[in-house]
Amino acid sequence: MAKPLSPDLRLRIVRAVEDEGMSCRGAAGRFGVAPSTAIELVSEWRSTGACEAAAQGGDRRSARIEGHAAEILSLVEATPDMTLAEIAGHLFKVHGERFVPSVVWRFFDRRNITFKKNIARQRAESAGRGR
């Protein structure tokens, strides 16, 4: 993803249009940016009085599953051997929201919650040739 324009360059574009009377396309050519960028900057300046860059990146989708955090954690506490697919199925059945198991896994990963294998389920011997 491209980096946002510097605040200094943003202000110079806006000042060229507002103070010097240049067109947005003329200012774009002068400062080496796309005409649509200059048009959007000036439009934002005129409507809000500011032309700062918006925040980039970040998590935008985990809020859906985080809304069910208390329920998921209590569900796992009551039934610790529940699979990720079963948790996702429970959320769909109760709330009608569909989550894939990888989203449920990332929910637990954000909290550093891991589930260790049950020692009783592990193999008694190594897989390989018999004696």
Side-chain angles (χ1 to χ4, degrees):
M1 180 177 247
K3 293 170 64 173
L5 295 177
S6 70
D8 178 51
L9 180 58
R10 291 167 170 266
L11 284 176
R12 285 189 290 159
I13 293 170
V14 169
R15 285 187 183 142
V17 173
E18 293 290 321
D19 298 341
E20 298 175 24
M22 282 184 104
S23 68
C24 289
R25 293 182 187 278
R30 179 177 173 186
F31 293 106
V33 298
S36 61
T37 302
I39 292 168
E40 289 174 11
L41 283 174
V42 172
S43 174
E44 183 181 350
W45 175 263
R46 288 177 179 163
S47 64
T48 65
C51 59
E52 287 123 19
Q56 286 188 322
D59 182 18
R60 297 181 185 170
R61 294 196 260 174
S62 66
R64 276 185 56 226
I65 196 162
E66 291 296 334
H68 305 290
E71 181 180 357
I72 294 170
L73 294 173
S74 66
L75 189 65
V76 170
E77 188 176 327
T79 315
D81 62 341
M82 210 171 184
T83 65
L84 298 175
E86 289 173 340
I87 294 170
H90 171 80
L91 291 173
F92 180 68
K93 185 173 72 174
V94 173
H95 299 286
E97 290 196 73
R98 190 175 303 275
F99 297 103
V100 294
S102 62
V103 171
V104 180
W105 178 83
R106 284 193 299 272
F107 169 83
F108 289 116
D109 189 47
R110 279 191 295 274
R111 288 167 172 72
N112 294 322
I113 298 174
T114 60
F115 297 99
K116 301 297 179 191
K117 290 182 178 178
N118 185 349
I119 200 75
R121 292 183 189 169
Q122 293 180 353
R123 292 184 180 181
E125 295 180 24
S126 64
R129 299 181 85 178
R131 294 184 193 188

